Amino acid sequence: MKMVSELVKYLKDPHAKKVQHYKERYQELDDLSNVAVDIGDASAYKSLQAEMKEVFFEYLTAVVVDSIYRLAPYVLIIWIISLKWPTITIPFVNWQVDIFGAFLVSYLLLHVGKWFVKPIKSIVYKLGLFGSGASEATKI
């Protein structure tokens, strides 16, 4: 069971350990660089800055590769759907839209909708419309 959990965790975020390692290494080099500035060692500062640049670009590479891995399932879903339905028709206006465009728009609307739902939820809960779930008759 633990192996399955580790596999799922790896598939969900395959480069998490690399990204975290580069992040920690960059922070460590930044701290050492600050110490070099405090003691006035210019050569140590210069070499630390050069190493920080390398670590930063390794970090960026790991983040980009991780992003590609996160996009791969969506590309696969779009490809499979487009094999069956290359275009879809919007019912009320009778427009034919490419499945890729429809998927992209629905994905963006979903994420924009999440941004709007959070403030609306907090306002609704502050107004008490969806309180603790108990009615006034049961409260004593």
Side-chain angles (χ1 to χ4, degrees), residues 44-65:
Y45 176 78
K46 193 173 184 179
S47 66
L48 286 168
Q49 289 296 314
E51 191 172 349
M52 279 177 67
K53 285 180 187 176
E54 291 176 19
V55 170
F56 180 70
F57 284 115
E58 292 293 328
Y59 170 75
L60 285 179
T61 303
V63 168
V64 167
V65 170

Side-chain angles (χ1 to χ4, degrees), residues 1-74:
M1 188 66 175
K2 186 176 180 181
M3 261 177 80
V4 173
S5 173
E6 291 293 323
L7 179 64
V8 168
K9 190 184 296 184
Y10 176 77
L11 290 176
K12 184 178 178 188
D13 199 4
H15 295 95
K17 289 182 182 177
K18 269 187 180 178
V19 169
Q20 187 62 29
H21 169 73
Y22 289 132
K23 212 178 212 182
E24 290 170 357
R25 181 69 179 142
Y26 186 82
Q27 184 62 41
E28 178 184 328
L29 290 171
D30 188 42
D31 292 341
L32 289 173
S33 179
N34 290 336
V35 170
V37 167
D38 289 342
I39 64 172
D41 191 356
S43 63
Y45 176 78
K46 193 173 184 179
S47 66
L48 286 168
Q49 289 296 314
E51 191 172 349
M52 279 177 67
K53 285 180 187 176
E54 291 176 19
V55 170
F56 180 70
F57 284 115
E58 292 293 328
Y59 170 75
L60 285 179
T61 303
V63 168
V64 167
V65 170
D66 191 41
S67 299
I68 290 171
Y69 276 106
R70 287 184 186 203
L71 286 175
Y74 295 106

